[in-house]
Amino acid sequence: MYDIVVVGGGPAGLTAAIYGLRNGKSVFVIEKSVFGGQIVNSPKVENIPGFDSISGDEFGDKLLEQAMGQGAEVTLENVTAVEKAAASDGSGKDTFVVKTEEGGEYEGRTVILATGTTHRLLGLEGEEELVGNGISFCAVCDGDFYRDKNVVMIGGGNSAFVESSLLVDIVGKLTILQDMPFFTADQKLQDQVLGTGKVETHVGTKILGYEVTDGPDKQITGVRYTENGEEKVAECDGVFLAVGLVPENDAFAGLADLDERGYFLPENICHTKTPGIFVAGDCCTKTLRQVATACSDGAYAAIAACDYMK
């Protein structure tokens, strides 16, 4: 029986673990893929307090080392459910069983859900297999692979244009495809990107699929789309997707309220409708999703969990 079981090993989850341990609690952290969260994909980060510049991978390692150095236990498993269990310590408070796809069952007096988000895909045939092999999300991470080549950016909001502003200095040609009849990015961002003369834009499009080479090692050669009812192909060497983020909170909907997009709706920063269950980080409804705010959320959740156990 752990005092705190943390679901998610990104900045929010690992900060929660550190704060819980500093308060003398036993902490178990469950992460489904990579400790450190999405930040590990960024080779250079310059907006984390205390570091002029650090790679996301190194920052994630430092967080994990700090948590484990203070006594956190960790595992790589995919959590599928959190269930209430009758109190066994005479406190009268429910405890919880956290279940994983791998068959693990871990008991906690409290649970902090710091599940983060994943990049939204378009749901096209063969798309998942192309992620990391022609389809990217981060220009800082992968832009240099496409130096002087042709690239398609799918999306027209701020995220798409921030990534595009980095790509235009690297690629030979950038084509931006937007499904809406206009771009929604800030005008300053649009001016910065479109004023380079290296960008071709198409709005009111519908993406139909990806053109790929034959054989086992498929490579993207283009994006099929319609514009004004006419089917076209944007030839390219790679594709960047900026069509939003997706929380993966459905498995916990019975324990914590979700908004219409599936993000947790916490009360007083981190509390949920279930006593003993707390939420933190990018999986929550919030206006700013950054490492600094995720760490703040994790600290709040851990202190709230400790207060609950008093």
Side-chain angles (χ1 to χ4, degrees):
M1 174 70 73
Y2 295 92
D3 292 321
I4 303 173
V5 176
V6 181
V7 181
L14 290 174
T15 300
I18 291 165
Y19 270 71
L21 292 160
R22 296 284 294 178
N23 276 270
K25 305 302 181 185
S26 59
V27 179
F28 189 70
V29 184
I30 308 173
E31 165 59 39
K32 72 174 183 179
S33 55
V34 179
F35 284 99
Q38 290 189 32
I39 192 67
V40 302
N41 297 315
S42 298
K44 185 178 182 181
V45 186
E46 298 179 323
N47 63 350
I48 298 176
F51 301 96
D52 288 336
S53 178
I54 188 172
S55 75
D57 190 49
E58 183 183 358
F59 181 70
D61 285 344
K62 285 181 176 295
L63 277 176
L64 180 59
E65 289 170 8
Q66 185 177 6
M68 293 182 67
Q70 295 192 30
E73 296 181 42
V74 303
T75 186
L76 281 171
E77 297 182 48
N78 183 31
V79 172
T80 55
V82 177
E83 299 177 357
K84 290 182 181 180
S88 58
D89 58 2
S91 68
K93 296 180 178 179
D94 290 329
T95 59
F96 303 93
V97 178
V98 181
K99 298 184 176 181
T100 70
E101 187 175 38
E102 293 76 8
E105 294 191 2
Y106 305 100
E107 293 181 279
R109 292 184 174 86
T110 63
V111 174
I112 296 174
L113 300 173
T115 52
T117 59
T118 59
H119 289 283
R120 186 186 300 277
L121 298 177
L122 296 173
L124 300 172
E125 182 180 357
E127 188 174 42
E128 291 188 6
E129 290 75 15
L130 292 170
V131 172
N133 186 33
I135 293 179
S136 302
F137 304 98
C138 175
V140 173
C141 312
D142 300 334
D144 205 54
F145 294 131
Y146 301 101
R147 184 166 295 278
D148 301 323
K149 296 183 179 181
N150 294 342
V151 168
V152 168
M153 169 65 70
I154 299 177
N158 280 344
S159 295
F161 273 82
V162 167
E163 298 297 320
S164 295
S165 69
L166 301 171
L167 288 171
V168 289
D169 293 330
I170 300 172
V171 303
K173 177 186 176 182
L174 178 66
T175 301
I176 303 178
L177 304 178
Q178 161 75 314
D179 61 347
M180 298 179 68
F182 51 86
F183 294 123
T184 58
D186 294 342
Q187 191 60 51
K188 185 177 180 180
L189 275 174
Q190 294 188 45
D191 294 342
Q192 180 182 348
V193 172
L194 303 181
T196 62
K198 296 172 62 176
V199 182
E200 179 180 320
T201 63
H202 299 271
V203 297
T205 65
K206 178 178 175 58
I207 309 301
L208 302 177
Y210 303 104
E211 299 279 321
V212 297
T213 58
D214 294 328
D217 298 324
K218 297 184 183 300
Q219 295 182 340
I220 289 180
T221 60
V223 177
R224 288 186 292 109
Y225 66 98
T226 59
E227 184 178 17
N228 298 322
E230 180 182 356
E231 186 169 331
K232 301 179 180 181
V233 176
E235 296 182 356
C236 65
D237 302 290
V239 174
F240 282 76
L241 284 179
V243 292
L245 297 170
V246 182
E248 297 180 308
N249 297 332
D250 289 348
F252 315 111
L255 301 168
D257 291 328
L258 307 180
D259 69 8
E260 66 279 1
R261 295 183 300 161
Y263 289 94
F264 290 125
L265 274 171
E267 300 176 5
N268 192 21
I269 302 177
C270 62
H271 293 260
T272 71
K273 65 183 180 183
T274 304
I277 299 286
F278 305 89
V279 293
D282 287 1
C283 56
C284 301
T285 299
K286 56 194 302 186
T287 57
L288 184 63
R289 292 184 170 86
Q290 294 287 302
V291 170
T293 62
C295 292
S296 171
D297 291 348
Y300 270 108
I303 296 303
C306 293
D307 287 343
Y308 172 80
M309 285 182 280
K310 287 181 181 177

